[in-house]
């Protein structure tokens, strides 16, 4: 931990020294919270800065930044995968994606000309805070928002009030999903946030919508875990509750947070019985209960109160090119941006349900080592990965899911999600996406368990062949 904190401190010093800073962050919930933490920190330092959210950090974006040549660039929730392209930049990175390298590489053409070479090298100064370089797994240990928070905390102790955003970022990247609680470095943030009274956490039902949805709706939309005979069936969910003698409505539809302890216990024990009776096993049943994270300063019954719902609200903004709206909400807007975010949340939920239904209609194509679907234009490229995550949690038979969707840039967006068990056996999709996409003329990366790529249209079949072979090789090594 000391080395990690030391690096956070070094980055903090560079930020303190910079005259002007450009923050570049990712468009998803973790990226938006990371950017918000960086931004509030710089505001408190009285720095001149601007922030920008991007879907991906590609070479083009880095070249633009080089042309602009600001005194310092702060990459949050991205950057580590592109560090080899950053020659000539003065930058800091707070990220958790698998680093491409720990070094900045000056390309051959620049090296040929000694003057350019020395010029590029003398300008280059890139420092990153990333759990991977300290031997930890960036998919679960800490998120982009978390690493950014550690730097913020070094710069100003007041920034502990940003800890809840770091938790929302981690939950947004599903870092609590494997162990049903946050672990590793995330735990330090959590404890600090609790001590200061910003966050509360305890064991409860892990359902999405605990704070905001009528209980029967919450059950109807449950995908992690799926509830056999209930998920997707409104009437069945209502009857399930009625049969247990639980009133659906008092003055208003009752939400999970409105139920008594006894009522909750009854529902959970019946759900466990149901899951086991339907042959899904203990592992699925155990996913009913886990740690939940409450933002104590947010109003009860709103989507901002529960970290998981807050993260979904942010994804609903960022994944539809409105990251700034989510960013404004993170920084405290409860007026126009918040209202807009709520509208987008509704649309996002509808899109996810439609996306899931679409894949169920066309069916997953199963192969020996993977299964896949091609959404074409039917699912937005930015949410196709979320749909893949949801589908995976419904699967009895645990094979990785590869999803394709048409991308607005004319290429094909690839998202992949893997069962944890295979990752534990050595499968690593950050490598597979990177190498397989390069073989068909694309690019990719991410985490062992969740990764993505962009490949040329028409290369899908070839790509699947390569990926399948790589999975086989990794698992049978
Ligand atoms: O780019 P970024 O790191 O934010 O993306 C992380 C992605 O990993 C999220 O979309 C999340 O859904 C996915 N993930 C997952 N299962 C996990 C951990 C992360 O699907 N156990
Ligand atoms: O878009 P999706 O949620 O599927 O992305 C999963 C992970 O893969 C994210 O961490 C994302 O940053 C990464 N990814 C990547 N290169 C791409 C697409 C996705 O590194 N071309
Ligand atoms: Zn992230």
């Amino acid at each position: 931990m000391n080395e990690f904190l030391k690096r956070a401190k070094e980055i903090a010093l560079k930020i303190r020294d910079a005259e002007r800073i450009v923050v570049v962050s990712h468009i998803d919930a973790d990226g938006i919270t990371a950017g918000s933490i960086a931004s509030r920190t710089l505001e408190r330092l009285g720095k001149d800065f601007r922030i920008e959210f991007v879907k991906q950090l590609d070479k083009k974006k880095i070249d633009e930044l080089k042309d602009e040549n600001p005194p310092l660039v702060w990459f949050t929730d991205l950057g580590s995968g592109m560090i080899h392209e950053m020659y000539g930049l003065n930058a800091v990175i707070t990220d958790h994606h698998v680093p491409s390298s720990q070094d900045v590489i000056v390309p051959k053409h620049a090296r040929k000309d000694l003057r350019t070479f020395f010029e590029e090298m003398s300008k280059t100064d890139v420092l990153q805070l990333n759990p991977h370089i300290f031997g930890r797994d960036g998919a679960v240990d800490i998120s982009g928002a978390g690493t950014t928070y550690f730097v913020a905390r070094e710069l100003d102790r007041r920034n502990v009030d940003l800890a809840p955003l770091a938790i929302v970022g981690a939950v947004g990247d599903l870092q609590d999903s494997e162990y049903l609680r946050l672990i590793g470095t995330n735990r330090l943030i959590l404890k600090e946030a609790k001590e200061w009274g910003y966050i509360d956490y305890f064991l409860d039902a892990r359902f999405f919508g605990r704070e905001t949805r009528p209980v029967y709706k919450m059950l109807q939309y449950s995908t992690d875990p799926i509830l056999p005979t209930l998920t997707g069936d409104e009437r069945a969910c209502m009857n399930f509750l009625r049969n247990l003698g639980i009133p659906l409505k008092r003055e208003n539809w009752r939400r999970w947070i409105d139920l008594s302890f006894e009522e909750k216990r009854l529902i959970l024990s019946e759900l466990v019985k149901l899951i086991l009776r339907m042959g899904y096993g203990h592992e699925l049943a155990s996913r009913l209960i886990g740690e939940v994270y409450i933002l104590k300063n947010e109003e009860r019954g709103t989507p901002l109160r529960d970290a998981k719902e807050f993260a979904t609200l942010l994804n609903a903004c960022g994944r539809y090119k409105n990251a700034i709206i989510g960013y404004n909400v993170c920084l405290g807007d409860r007026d126009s941006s918040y209202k807009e975010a709520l509208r987008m949340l509704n649309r996002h939920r509808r899109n996810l349900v439609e996306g899931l239904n679409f894949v169920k209609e066309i069916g997953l194509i199963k192969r020996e080592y993977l299964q896949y679907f091609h959404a074409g234009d039917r699912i937005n490229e930015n949410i196709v990965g979320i749909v893949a995550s949801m589908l995976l949690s419904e699967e009895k038979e645990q094979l990785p899911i590869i999803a394709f969707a048409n991308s607005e840039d004319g290429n094909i967006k690839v998202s992949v999600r893997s069962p944890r068990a295979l990752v534990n056996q050595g499968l690593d999709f950050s490598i597979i996406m990177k190498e397989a996409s390069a073989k068909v003329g694309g690019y990719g990366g991410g985490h062992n368990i969740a990764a993505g790529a962009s490949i040329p249209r028409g290369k899908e079949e070839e790509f699947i062949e390569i990926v399948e072979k790589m999975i086989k090789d990794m698992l049978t090594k």
Side-chain angles (χ1 to χ4, degrees):
M1 198 58 208
N2 282 344
E3 289 301 309
F4 186 88
L5 289 178
K6 206 171 119 204
R7 178 62 59 87
K9 205 167 275 177
E10 283 164 6
I11 290 180
L13 287 177
K14 272 190 76 162
I15 290 169
R16 200 181 283 283
D17 284 347
E19 228 162 74
R20 190 168 59 83
I21 297 165
V22 173
V23 180
V24 181
S25 196
H26 196 201
I27 53 156
D28 69 1
D30 187 26
I32 295 174
T33 47
S36 306
I37 292 171
S39 165
R40 178 56 39 89
T41 302
L42 296 176
E43 202 180 277
R44 283 180 173 159
L45 285 172
K47 290 282 180 195
D48 177 10
F49 73 97
R50 75 172 170 84
I51 182 161
E52 152 173 24
F53 291 94
V54 298
K55 199 167 84 179
Q56 226 140 54
L57 185 64
D58 50 17
K59 187 164 179 321
K60 187 166 153 264
K61 182 81 240 168
I62 294 182
D63 287 342
E64 274 171 34
L65 290 165
K66 285 181 188 170
D67 286 343
E68 182 185 342
N69 195 23
L72 184 68
V73 184
W74 185 356
F75 295 104
T76 64
D77 191 37
L78 42 68
S80 290
M82 288 298 278
I83 202 161
H84 56 283
E85 292 286 355
M86 292 186 186
Y87 58 91
L89 271 189
N90 186 26
V92 291
I93 302 172
T94 46
D95 190 9
H96 66 131
H97 291 89
V98 176
S100 57
S101 150
Q102 292 194 36
D103 303 314
V104 177
I105 300 162
V106 180
K108 282 208 180 82
H109 67 83
R111 276 183 260 170
K112 273 186 203 144
D113 167 0
L114 272 185
R115 225 178 95 187
T116 317
F117 179 75
F118 285 120
E119 240 172 55
E120 296 293 3
M121 278 319 275
S122 66
K123 278 192 289 181
T124 306
D125 185 5
V126 182
L127 208 52
Q128 65 170 327
L129 182 66
N130 184 317
H132 288 282
I133 59 180
F134 300 98
R136 304 189 205 142
D137 179 356
V140 289
D141 182 70
I142 188 170
S143 71
T147 50
T148 307
Y149 171 72
F150 270 94
V151 171
R153 194 173 162 274
E154 290 298 331
L155 282 163
D156 188 336
R157 290 289 148 179
R158 278 181 299 174
N159 291 335
V160 289
D161 66 349
L162 304 175
L165 291 177
I167 298 305
V168 171
V171 170
D173 268 6
L174 306 188
Q175 297 202 317
D176 62 328
S177 127
E178 185 187 345
Y179 299 94
L180 307 175
R181 67 205 278 264
L182 292 170
I183 61 158
T185 314
N186 276 322
R187 218 78 218 142
L188 299 179
I189 307 175
L190 203 53
K191 290 204 176 113
E192 194 163 72
K194 183 160 184 165
E195 270 163 31
W196 283 81
Y198 294 121
I199 287 269
D200 201 4
Y201 55 94
F202 44 84
L203 285 179
D204 195 2
R206 289 180 63 248
F207 296 119
F208 181 86
R210 293 170 49 259
E211 288 277 341
T212 57
R213 287 182 176 177
V215 180
Y216 74 93
K217 281 270 168 218
M218 186 187 83
L219 299 180
Q220 182 189 341
Y221 285 102
S222 173
T223 57
D224 181 19
I226 64 137
L227 307 171
T229 73
L230 296 180
T231 295
D233 189 338
E234 175 173 288
R235 188 185 291 264
C237 292
M238 287 179 148
N239 286 337
F240 171 81
L241 294 168
R242 285 199 192 104
N243 290 341
L244 295 179
I246 293 173
L248 298 181
K249 217 170 174 176
R250 287 262 157 86
E251 240 161 72
N252 293 311
W253 290 111
R254 298 175 78 209
R255 301 159 301 185
W256 187 255
I257 54 168
D258 300 321
L259 301 185
S260 71
F261 180 76
E262 277 312 315
E263 287 175 315
K264 292 188 206 173
R265 212 181 55 171
L266 180 60
I267 293 176
L268 287 170
S269 73
E270 286 304 311
L271 288 175
V272 171
K273 281 187 216 157
L274 175 67
I275 288 173
L276 297 180
R277 197 167 61 234
M278 300 299 289
Y280 279 83
H282 284 278
E283 184 159 352
L284 191 79
S286 72
R287 298 193 66 80
L288 282 168
I289 294 175
E291 213 165 60
V292 299
Y293 306 101
I294 302 300
L295 280 73
K296 286 175 74 178
N297 291 340
E298 301 296 342
E299 199 181 319
R300 216 167 157 263
T302 70
L304 305 181
R305 177 90 170 171
D306 176 273
K308 207 187 284 195
E309 292 196 59
F310 197 146
T312 303
L313 176 110
L314 296 179
N315 272 322
C317 300
R319 303 233 180 208
Y320 304 88
K321 299 183 184 166
N322 274 309
I324 289 292
I325 303 269
Y327 166 79
N328 290 337
V329 173
C330 287
L331 292 179
D333 183 315
R334 296 293 175 269
D335 196 17
S336 61
S337 288
Y338 181 50
K339 284 183 193 138
E340 182 62 26
L342 289 176
R343 274 194 291 275
M344 293 203 280
L345 179 58
N346 276 330
R347 195 180 65 162
H348 180 51
R349 283 175 178 159
R350 269 201 312 274
N351 289 345
L352 289 176
V353 172
E354 276 170 23
L356 278 171
N357 288 340
F358 170 71
V359 183
K360 281 181 188 151
E361 243 167 63
I362 59 168
L364 282 160
I365 301 165
K366 301 216 183 222
R367 298 180 52 134
E368 195 179 349
Y369 288 93
L370 58 81
Q371 46 191 336
Y372 71 99
F373 66 91
H374 201 316
D377 287 320
R378 294 288 300 271
I379 303 179
N380 179 309
E381 58 175 312
N382 297 321
I383 65 161
V384 76
I386 303 180
V387 172
S389 286
M390 291 173 137
L391 286 165
L392 190 66
S393 63
E394 291 187 26
E395 284 280 305
K396 265 189 191 172
E397 190 190 339
Q398 291 275 294
L399 279 177
I401 296 185
I402 319 270
F404 295 112
N406 295 344
S407 170
E408 62 175 1
D409 64 7
N411 290 318
I412 295 293
K413 164 69 193 295
V414 186
S415 280
V416 55
R417 297 295 186 268
S418 169
R420 170 53 63 177
L422 299 180
V423 170
N424 291 344
Q425 286 170 40
L427 197 58
D428 184 342
F429 274 109
S430 75
I431 300 174
I432 295 183
M433 284 299 115
K434 193 168 177 196
E435 294 183 1
S437 62
K439 281 189 183 147
V440 297
Y443 57 91
H447 309 284
N448 48 19
I449 197 162
S454 171
I455 60 169
R457 262 183 213 201
K459 293 281 185 184
E460 294 93 322
E461 289 288 330
E462 189 184 338
F463 182 77
I464 284 287
E465 294 292 338
I466 298 171
V467 171
E468 182 158 47
K469 181 159 185 323
M470 287 185 78
I471 299 176
K472 187 175 171 194
D473 288 349
M474 268 192 190
L475 289 177
T476 51
K477 231 187 332 201

